[in-house]
């Protein structure tokens, strides 16, 4: 089983006055060449396709066309990152339809609503990829009741941690390790991690 993992394209990013489109085109060509060479059973993009939630039309076209080019080589699953728009991802899903090889995951799955695990058969006909997807979760949408400012972040982290453990348990429950490959994929900030400086402190 072959998996190609990609992430954080940030299409539309500029460094000061300098647009980075040339860099994106060069790197995407490398990704496409890798997909053609390795022939993965699944291509997994773990978020931040775009740099802003409502990208310019040219950036939107480039990002979506690039993903569709990869989807012509292998099934592609894209998780929403903190820079991506969940509404835009939902529109993509509606336009592409359920039979498309390009799948967008805009929101965390409802764990009370059936099986949240995405399963994709590998080309060998013997192996199945079992994917637990966890796109970015904003605390304003995850916490459903009023919480005072002092405990909001702690409560959010605890609630998200519980969600992650439950989703992970559902991923491995009944897993046939001889035939299934379990993958937990997420785009999240990690409590206690060192900050790289690539994100604004207020976001982290």
């Amino acid at each position: 089983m072959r998996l190609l993992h990609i992430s954080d394209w940030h299409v539309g990013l500029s460094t000061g006055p300098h647009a980075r489109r040339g860099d994106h085109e060069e790197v995407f060509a490398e990704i496409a060449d890798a997909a053609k060479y390795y022939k993965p059973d699944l291509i997994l993009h773990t978020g931040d396709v775009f740099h802003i939630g409502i990208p310019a039309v040219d950036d939107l076209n480039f990002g979506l066309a690039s993903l569709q080019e990869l989807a012509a080589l292998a099934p592609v699953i894209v998780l929403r990152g903190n820079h991506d728009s969940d509404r835009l991802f939902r529109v993509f899903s509606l336009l592409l339809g359920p039979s498309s090889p390009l799948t967008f995951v805009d929101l965390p799955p409802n764990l009370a609503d059936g099986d949240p695990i995405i399963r994709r058969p590998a080309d060998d006909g013997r192996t199945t990829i079992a994917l637990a997807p966890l796109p970015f979760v904003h605390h304003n949408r995850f916490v459903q009741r009023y919480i005072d400012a002092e405990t909001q972040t702690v409560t959010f982290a605890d609630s998200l941690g519980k969600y992650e453990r439950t989703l992970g348990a559902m991923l491995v429950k009944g897993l046939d390790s001889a035939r299934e490959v379990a993958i937990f994929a997420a785009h999240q900030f990690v409590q206690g991690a060192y900050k790289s400086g690539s994100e604004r402190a207020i976001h982290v």
Side-chain angles (χ1 to χ4, degrees), residues 114-129:
D115 186 1
I117 308 305
I118 299 174
R119 290 179 170 82
R120 293 288 186 271
D123 286 341
D124 62 13
R126 301 186 305 273
T127 311
T128 297
I129 299 168

Side-chain angles (χ1 to χ4, degrees), residues 4-192:
L4 176 58
H5 175 218
I6 52 180
S7 191
D8 291 84
W9 285 357
H10 288 270
V11 173
L13 173 68
S14 294
T15 303
H18 305 290
R20 303 293 296 275
R21 171 56 62 81
D23 296 327
H24 283 111
E25 291 174 348
E26 185 175 340
V27 171
F28 175 73
E30 293 178 1
I31 294 171
D33 286 344
K36 293 171 185 175
Y37 179 80
Y38 289 107
K39 296 180 173 56
D41 297 288
L42 177 69
I43 300 173
L44 177 60
H45 193 305
T46 48
D48 285 350
V49 176
F50 302 102
H51 189 60
I52 58 175
I54 305 177
V57 172
D58 184 53
D59 294 327
L60 185 66
N61 181 63
F62 174 79
L64 192 55
S66 298
L67 290 170
Q68 289 178 310
E69 184 176 333
L70 292 177
L73 302 172
V76 177
I77 296 177
V78 187
L79 306 188
R80 182 177 74 92
N82 56 300
H83 284 257
D84 297 314
S85 165
D86 57 335
R87 294 180 180 181
L88 189 60
F89 272 33
R90 212 166 302 140
V91 170
F92 291 160
S93 296
L94 289 172
L95 291 175
L96 293 170
S99 61
S100 173
L102 176 54
T103 302
F104 289 88
V105 183
D106 58 298
L107 295 174
N110 185 344
L111 302 186
D113 186 22
D115 186 1
I117 308 305
I118 299 174
R119 290 179 170 82
R120 293 288 186 271
D123 286 341
D124 62 13
R126 301 186 305 273
T127 311
T128 297
I129 299 168
L131 173 69
L134 181 54
F136 179 70
V137 183
H138 194 283
H139 68 274
N140 286 345
R141 298 187 182 184
F142 192 81
V143 179
Q144 300 297 320
R145 63 187 186 280
Y146 175 78
I147 298 173
D148 63 86
E150 291 184 356
T151 61
Q152 184 179 40
T153 303
V154 174
T155 303
F156 166 69
D158 289 344
S159 299
L160 183 56
K162 180 179 179 181
Y163 178 95
E164 291 173 342
R165 289 189 294 274
T166 304
L167 180 60
M170 296 176 80
L171 172 63
V172 298
K173 182 179 180 181
L175 188 80
D176 182 355
S177 58
R179 296 181 56 86
E180 295 183 295
V181 177
I183 299 172
F184 192 111
H187 190 108
Q188 299 294 331
F189 293 121
V190 178
Q191 192 172 34

